[in-house]
Amino acid sequence: MCVWWYKAGMDVSGGNHRHEAPWKRMSKEELDNQYSPSRWVVRLGAEEAMRTYSQIGNEVSKRARATGRSLLNVPYGDGDGEKLDIYLPEAVSEAMPFLVFFHGGYWQSGSKDTSAFMVNPLTAQGVAVVIVAYDIAPKGTLDQMVDQVTQSIVFVQKQYPGNQGIYLCGHSAGAHLAAMMLLADWTKHGVTPNLKGFFLLSGVYDLEPIMHTSENAPLLPALEDAQRNSPLWQLETAPTRPADPACRILVTVGQHDSPEFHRQSREFYQTLCQGGWKASFEELHDMDHFEILWNLTQEDYVLTQPQVICRGWSWAHQWDLHGARQV
């Protein structure tokens, strides 16, 4: 069942919106503005927001590592950049749920070493957390990043076959990489991961607009690259049915994210609903692009609860990392 938090004036209709996408009428300067999240922060200046974001990431990651319950720089592939960190709860069991996190940074910056935002709140409640590194551009291509993310999930499943569920979480570019896993062909990897949920935080799901911004230079040399790596385009043109109908997808966007981030999140949610996925959409009240991450460090924040609530603000549906139970 698809769940929508309705906002007055918001288009909730289905259908393919690509032909009428507003970004096609924007200048390069307008697109740069729309796809520069730091320009939309509301409580800090752009540079101060980025400094604060980096500082908090460093501090929380140091605290998470200081607990002594972490396995750091574990190889999940053969490449130098194919490493992940595993943060374990105090009571380790074969049936732990795992949350696997992919950092943002426009596929060109960011690091697993400074992205342990939600580790302490979740491990305190029995959830193991995995933070994944991937080769960012220009060293890595988008195709390589998607392949690396796929490999990391296969690794977690093979290492912990008795897991109680693997939940993928990504922020911004990391949400894009997590969303691409809806299209993954697991059969060629010899294992089907026990995916129970996706938490997609302020993501980009159609990469074609990025081709027309200053962010594009090291990323997308051709339209075919953008389409091949766009989960929204792929699900619209060649729909993939859910392998597990119980798997849930929460698409979120900050209230103070740009209109283009809102549009992308809304249209991706609608496309998921049309494809038969069990999806929910939520606009996070009074949050900008980066504050969503900062709040993941808080034990009482809704997205760091084992039961993650995702039916708008009516609190009618819950996600349970200890069994994916809807209540």
Side-chain angles (χ1 to χ4, degrees), residues 2-46:
C2 287
V3 182
W4 180 270
W5 175 68
Y6 179 75
K7 180 178 179 181
M10 183 176 286
D11 174 18
V12 298
S13 61
N16 188 323
H17 302 270
R18 298 180 60 80
H19 66 285
E20 58 191 37
W23 70 265
K24 293 185 177 182
R25 300 188 295 272
M26 295 181 184
S27 67
K28 182 179 182 299
E29 291 72 22
E30 290 174 308
L31 281 170
D32 278 344
N33 187 55
Q34 288 288 323
Y35 284 96
S36 297
S38 62
R39 301 183 188 183
W40 296 81
V41 296
V42 293
R43 277 171 277 275
L44 299 172

Side-chain angles (χ1 to χ4, degrees), residues 38-75:
S38 62
R39 301 183 188 183
W40 296 81
V41 296
V42 293
R43 277 171 277 275
L44 299 172
E47 292 185 4
E48 185 181 357
M50 296 304 295
R51 283 196 301 270
T52 303
Y53 162 73
S54 178
Q55 179 182 351
I56 292 175
N58 278 309
E59 291 175 353
V60 297
S61 298
K62 287 178 181 177
R63 288 201 299 270
R65 293 180 173 198
T67 65
R69 297 193 303 273
S70 58
L71 306 172
L72 303 178
N73 297 312
V74 179

Side-chain angles (χ1 to χ4, degrees), residues 102-114:
F102 309 107
H103 67 80
Y106 256 124
W107 308 276
Q108 299 167 69
S109 64
S111 167
K112 71 171 177 59
D113 300 332
T114 57

